[in-house]
């Protein structure tokens, strides 16, 4: 009776063998035969799971992205937005054997994209996810620094890989802007010119101040959104640059310098509030 093969386990086995071959010999050495030999399986078994080299490389890239995402999602928040952001960003740098291997394989697969356009979608997806993660971290750090409510320790699993759900909801200014007409209805319904004092409805003083508050909030959102976007792009570029530096120079001095630069940047984001 033929033995049942766990296809998911076999796919992972072959993808990990692919990573090893890429790291040791380069992506050009990846073939059905070399990966079968590395994984200790027969060629026919590999072809049963991945009929083509392109499918093997595509799955290997996807598995790498999924593992990095799961690792970041598993980070337990401490309640300190700056330290939590640094903990997430550390996972994007080649500071461990696993993260270094991921970066080396990722760069090799990016280099293979012209020959295998199937990889372009994964490359762009990973790039967009990293950019979105940096933007979410900037919002969270600035919201916490301005006195907004910090996330509860048990919410990380609900927030997803980037841990951004609560961050998007916390800043009052952002929520006000997203509410649109509903958030400004009271202002829209008032007459354009003031009515005589004796004809005005008797309302509490706080109601009369609401339009000014809404306008102030809208101006603040308009002013801070470009600043947040620029900060996110700076952080995105910084992480990419530090990752390459660490790939070239993996010594302890460079590791400490990279973490010091990262901490300084996140600290600057936390202080730069309008």
């Amino acid at each position: 009776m033929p033995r049942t093969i766990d296809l998911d386990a076999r796919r992972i086995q072959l993808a990990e063998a692919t990573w090893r071959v890429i790291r040791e010999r380069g992506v050009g050495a990846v073939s059905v035969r070399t990966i079968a030999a590395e994984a200790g399986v027969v060629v026919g078994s590999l072809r049963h799971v991945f009929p083509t080299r392109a499918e093997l490389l595509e799955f290997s890239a996807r598995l790498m992205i999924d593992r990095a995402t799961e690792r970041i999602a598993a980070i337990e928040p401490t309640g300190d937005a700056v330290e939590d952001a640094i903990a997430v960003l550390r996972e994007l740098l080649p500071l461990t054997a696993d993260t270094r291997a991921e970066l080396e394989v990722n760069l090799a697969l990016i280099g293979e994209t012209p020959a295998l356009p199937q990889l372009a979608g994964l490359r762009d997806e990973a790039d967009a996810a990293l950019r979105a993660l940096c933007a979410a971290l900037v919002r969270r750090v600035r919201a916490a620094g301005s006195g907004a409510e910090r996330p509860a320790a048990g919410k990380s699993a609900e927030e997803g890989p980037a841990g951004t759900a609560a961050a998007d909801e916390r800043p009052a200014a952002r929520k006000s802007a997203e509410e649109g007409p509903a958030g400004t209805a009271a202002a829209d319904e008032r007459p354009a010119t003031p009515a005589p004092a004796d004809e005005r409805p008797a309302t509490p003083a706080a109601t009369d101040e609401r339009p000014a508050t809404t306008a102030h909030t809208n101006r603040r959102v308009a002013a801070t959104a470009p600043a947040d976007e620029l900060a996110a792009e700076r952080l995105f570029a910084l992480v990419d640059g530090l990752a390459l530096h660490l790939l070239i120079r993996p010594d302890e001095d460079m590791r400490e310098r990279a973490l010091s630069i990262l901490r300084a940047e996140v600290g600057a984001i936390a202080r730069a509030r309008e």
Side-chain angles (χ1 to χ4, degrees), residues 23-227:
R23 292 193 69 202
E24 294 168 5
R25 288 176 272 171
V27 71
V30 174
S31 69
V32 171
R33 292 188 180 279
T34 58
I35 301 306
E38 179 69 27
V41 302
V42 299
V43 170
S45 178
L46 187 151
R47 287 194 182 280
H48 175 69
V49 181
F50 296 113
T52 67
R53 176 177 180 270
E55 289 174 284
L56 172 61
L57 286 172
E58 187 174 1
F59 179 83
S60 300
R62 166 61 66 190
L63 181 62
M64 184 176 60
I65 293 171
D66 290 346
R67 286 194 174 176
T69 301
E70 290 167 4
R71 195 173 60 247
I72 291 172
I75 295 174
E76 289 291 337
T78 65
D80 185 318
V82 170
E83 293 303 324
D84 289 346
I86 291 171
V88 170
L89 294 169
R90 283 177 64 101
E91 293 297 329
L92 303 175
L93 298 178
L95 297 172
T96 68
D98 286 344
T99 52
R100 183 177 180 83
E102 284 176 2
L103 181 58
E104 289 175 346
V105 173
N106 184 44
L107 292 176
L109 291 174
I110 288 174
E112 189 74 357
T113 300
L116 290 175
Q118 302 97 310
L119 296 175
L122 288 173
R123 176 202 62 196
D124 295 344
E125 178 185 331
D127 183 77
L130 179 55
R131 177 176 275 106
L133 174 59
C134 289
L137 291 176
V138 167
R139 290 195 301 270
R140 172 169 295 182
V141 167
R142 287 189 169 169
S146 61
E149 182 182 354
R150 290 179 176 177
K155 289 187 178 180
S156 62
E158 299 172 359
E159 292 173 354
T164 60
D168 289 342
E169 296 169 2
R170 275 197 305 272
R174 181 179 177 85
K175 186 171 181 181
S176 174
E178 290 173 351
E179 284 174 354
T184 57
D188 295 339
E189 292 169 4
R190 293 197 174 106
T193 57
D198 56 346
E199 295 179 13
R200 293 181 189 169
T203 55
T207 304
D208 292 337
E209 294 171 1
R210 210 166 4 181
T213 303
T214 302
H216 172 73
T217 300
N218 290 341
R219 284 197 302 271
R220 210 176 84 186
V221 170
T224 58

